[in-house]
Amino acid sequence: IAENQSHFEMKVEPNSSEKVSVQITNGSDKDKKFSLQINNATTSKNGEISYEKKLNVPDDSAQVDLQTIATLPHELSLKGGESRIVDISFEVPEQAFEGVLLGGLQVVEQNEATEQADEKISFKNKYSFIVPIVMYETDAQLKADVKLKKVFPTLTNAYPSLEIQLQNPVATTLPTKDVTVKITPKNKKEVLKEQQLKEVTFAPNSTWNNQLD
């Protein structure tokens, strides 16, 4: 990836193979190990697009799973000061897809646990960076949508709350919006609880797990 380029953007064709490369450098004088993975973009609990969570199962609205069409080395060892080019291959499905696949390459430095002798506490510091990946087949713009998927009671830090699942089932990013959530008795207008959130945005084909305390 070029120094002035902050992400990969690829216009692809069905049933094709694509490759991108990124240079990873160990800027320290010590040997380092890194883990690498491709993550689908998700919508975090804060209502922001995130690339830091690998999904075991893609959102049920997704046509294509960016994680499964990518091939890359999952571990990389570099000596102090060493740089290496890493290739990432994508096998684009034969069946055409609409909209945008959004995800990211996550590179995480693997550090050994450090133990504090006086308190006998082990902890790990992990440093990581993300390179977003945008893949599409056509320039057609899809209209984003929001659907209420599920509402259920849960516990947050041992306190009762409601989890409200809102889904963007379309393969496009939902533009930033302010969101207001109101809880009312059935068939009544009285507002029992209200939540206002600023600048919420949804990743394509993602579900936002919003909690109302």
Side-chain angles (χ1 to χ4, degrees), residues 144-148 165-170 174 177 202 208:
D145 191 14
V146 176
K147 294 183 177 181
L148 178 61
Q165 294 186 345
L166 295 172
Q167 182 185 50
N168 172 17
V170 185
L174 180 72
K177 302 285 185 181
F202 284 74
W208 176 35

Side-chain angles (χ1 to χ4, degrees), residues 39-182:
N39 301 333
N40 292 328
T42 60
T43 303
S44 72
K45 288 188 176 182
N46 295 326
E48 300 173 339
I49 294 178
S50 172
Y51 306 94
E52 298 181 355
K53 182 179 180 181
K54 190 173 184 68
L55 299 176
N56 294 325
V57 179
D59 194 84
D60 57 20
S61 65
Q63 301 177 64
V64 181
D65 182 4
L66 190 67
Q67 295 175 168
T68 60
I69 67 171
T71 301
L72 73 164
H74 293 293
E75 291 187 353
L76 180 66
S77 296
L78 296 175
K79 297 183 180 300
E82 182 183 4
S83 295
R84 193 176 302 173
I85 300 293
V86 174
D87 295 329
I88 307 164
S89 301
F90 297 90
E91 296 298 325
V92 183
E94 182 176 354
Q95 184 174 352
F97 65 85
E98 294 182 321
V100 172
L101 303 182
L102 183 62
L105 166 66
Q106 183 179 32
V107 181
V108 181
E109 178 185 337
Q110 299 298 311
N111 289 341
E112 297 296 328
T114 302
E115 185 174 275
Q116 295 180 350
D118 54 343
E119 298 179 5
K120 301 297 181 182
I121 298 176
S122 295
F123 62 91
K124 291 184 179 181
N125 291 321
K126 289 191 175 182
Y127 302 93
S128 68
F129 68 87
I130 300 285
V131 181
I133 298 169
V134 183
M135 182 181 292
Y136 56 96
E137 292 185 347
T138 72
D139 295 321
Q141 299 294 314
L142 302 182
K143 184 178 180 180
D145 191 14
V146 176
K147 294 183 177 181
L148 178 61
K149 194 172 181 181
K150 191 176 181 182
V151 179
F152 56 92
T154 185
L155 292 176
T156 303
N157 298 324
Y159 289 95
S161 64
L162 280 179
E163 183 150 318
I164 304 167
Q165 294 186 345
L166 295 172
Q167 182 185 50
N168 172 17
V170 185
T172 190
T173 301
L174 180 72
T176 301
K177 302 285 185 181
D178 293 343
V179 175
T180 299
V181 178
K182 294 181 180 180

